[in-house]
Amino acid sequence: MGTILKDLKFGARSLMRMPGSAAISVVVLAIGIGLCSFMFSIIYGIYFRGLDIPEADRVFVVFETNVERGQTQLGVPVQDLADWRERQRSFEDLLGFTSGTVNVAGAEEPIRFSGSFVTANTFSLLGVEPIIGRAFSEGEDAPGSPLNLILGYNAWRDDFGGDRSVIGQDVRVNGEAGTVLGVMPEGFEFPDNTEVWIPLRDDPLATARRQGRFTTVYGRLNDGVSKEQAASEMAGIARQLEQEYPETNQGVGAEIYTPIEANTDETLNMIFGAMMFAVICVL
């Protein structure tokens, strides 16, 4: 212990003799360590963490493709989503969503939120339930159904005062009368920093094929089904639709990605790789 104390005193005297050099060294180390920590946090969130849901390794994203046009990650029109859900057997089910601005008005002025329009099975398929109230029930996304709303934790805490009596409260959502059903757990913001969720009540038969909304589709694989088997089945369903609707589905296929693959590409990989290399060099 005496030796350690002597070393510390010697180090302190050395730093006092050269305060400028010591300060520069501390600053450079702090910048290098800080940059590395910051970059690793970003890269971990994008490339490693994945979805923060139960059994996330069984959840995949299903896109439409058009190889002839060089398009690999296309949104899925509500008509194709309805056909996919009816015909596929590889997944427990498929969910679809589209994002947009949602204005919610209670007793006070309207508040603008980042919202998602989701199929009613979204929360049950992801395995995440509200902390108070309930999630959407089957059929609440049917065309003409009453409008219901689920709040994110931050929206509930910051804009509704964290009041549990908000459940069942009447609100107006984008000018339409609605009811608050539940509040999601803190940190749950699927798909993209979502603050409120409302049912995707689009009628696939109300518009011509490939018109209306285009959705992003997720599915949870059934036990014992591999990604390759599901991809083969979805490609087969796409070929069926191509034969049945050649005017709209000609050349349209289907491909499966992990959520990480769906949210990254070659350019992004190169950018983050270069940035990580640079901050390691700084360190």
Side-chain angles (χ1 to χ4, degrees), residues 2-53:
T3 302
I4 293 175
L5 290 174
K6 289 180 181 179
D7 287 343
L8 290 174
K9 291 179 181 178
F10 175 76
R13 288 196 299 269
S14 299
L15 291 175
M16 293 295 291
R17 283 198 300 268
M18 298 181 292
S21 297
I24 291 173
S25 299
V26 170
V27 169
V28 170
L29 281 172
I31 291 174
I33 295 171
L35 283 173
C36 278
S37 300
F38 176 72
M39 279 303 304
F40 180 76
S41 296
I42 295 176
I43 290 174
Y44 173 77
I46 294 175
Y47 291 96
F48 298 101
R49 183 176 61 190
L51 296 176
D52 188 17
I53 59 174

Side-chain angles (χ1 to χ4, degrees), residues 121-141:
N121 65 336
T122 295
F123 302 109
S124 60
L125 196 64
L126 295 176
V128 182
E129 294 296 325
I131 55 173
I132 59 174
R134 66 173 179 85
F136 300 128
S137 298
E138 183 178 357
E140 288 187 324
D141 56 357

Side-chain angles (χ1 to χ4, degrees), residues 27-274:
V27 169
V28 170
L29 281 172
I31 291 174
I33 295 171
L35 283 173
C36 278
S37 300
F38 176 72
M39 279 303 304
F40 180 76
S41 296
I42 295 176
I43 290 174
Y44 173 77
I46 294 175
Y47 291 96
F48 298 101
R49 183 176 61 190
L51 296 176
D52 188 17
I53 59 174
E55 298 182 283
D57 59 320
R58 292 172 51 208
V59 176
F60 292 86
V61 190
V62 190
F63 287 111
E64 287 194 333
T65 64
N66 194 316
V67 177
E68 296 176 358
R69 298 180 182 178
Q71 298 169 319
T72 56
Q73 293 189 5
L74 299 174
V76 181
V78 291
Q79 298 86 359
D80 287 1
L81 173 58
D83 288 326
W84 283 6
R85 294 183 68 184
E86 180 181 349
R87 302 184 189 196
Q88 69 83 25
R89 296 294 180 268
S90 296
F91 297 93
E92 291 181 8
D93 201 352
L94 299 175
L95 66 86
F97 68 84
T98 182
S99 300
T101 299
V102 177
N103 293 308
V104 181
E108 301 178 357
E109 291 295 316
I111 305 172
R112 178 174 294 182
F113 295 104
S114 173
S116 289
F117 303 80
V118 300
T119 52
N121 65 336
T122 295
F123 302 109
S124 60
L125 196 64
L126 295 176
V128 182
E129 294 296 325
I131 55 173
I132 59 174
R134 66 173 179 85
F136 300 128
S137 298
E138 183 178 357
E140 288 187 324
D141 56 357
S145 297
L147 179 61
N148 291 316
L149 171 74
I150 293 178
L151 297 172
Y153 185 89
N154 291 343
W156 172 62
R157 179 194 61 198
D158 299 337
D159 299 296
F160 289 84
D163 188 354
R164 299 178 70 89
S165 66
V166 72
I167 304 303
Q169 179 178 321
D170 293 330
V171 292
R172 296 197 67 82
V173 182
N174 291 343
E176 182 180 352
T179 304
V180 178
L181 286 187
V183 176
M184 296 305 294
E186 186 174 8
F188 181 83
E189 298 177 340
F190 177 89
D192 300 305
N193 299 316
T194 296
E195 297 174 292
V196 298
W197 295 263
I198 61 178
L200 180 66
R201 300 174 297 159
D202 294 21
D203 185 356
L205 303 178
T207 57
R209 294 193 75 87
R210 308 200 77 76
Q211 293 187 13
R213 294 197 224 223
F214 282 67
T215 64
T216 302
V217 177
Y218 279 66
R220 183 182 289 276
L221 287 178
N222 281 313
D223 290 335
V225 177
S226 67
K227 176 186 175 184
E228 291 72 23
Q229 291 171 323
S232 177
E233 182 191 44
M234 295 307 299
I237 294 174
R239 287 192 294 270
Q240 294 173 10
L241 296 178
E242 183 178 12
Q243 294 173 356
E244 295 172 20
Y245 307 103
E247 293 184 0
T248 57
N249 287 61
Q250 181 65 41
V252 176
E255 188 58 75
I256 295 179
Y257 297 82
T258 66
I260 292 175
E261 292 170 340
N263 289 293
T264 58
D265 56 29
E266 186 174 344
T267 301
L268 194 65
N269 294 340
M270 291 178 60
I271 291 173
F272 277 115

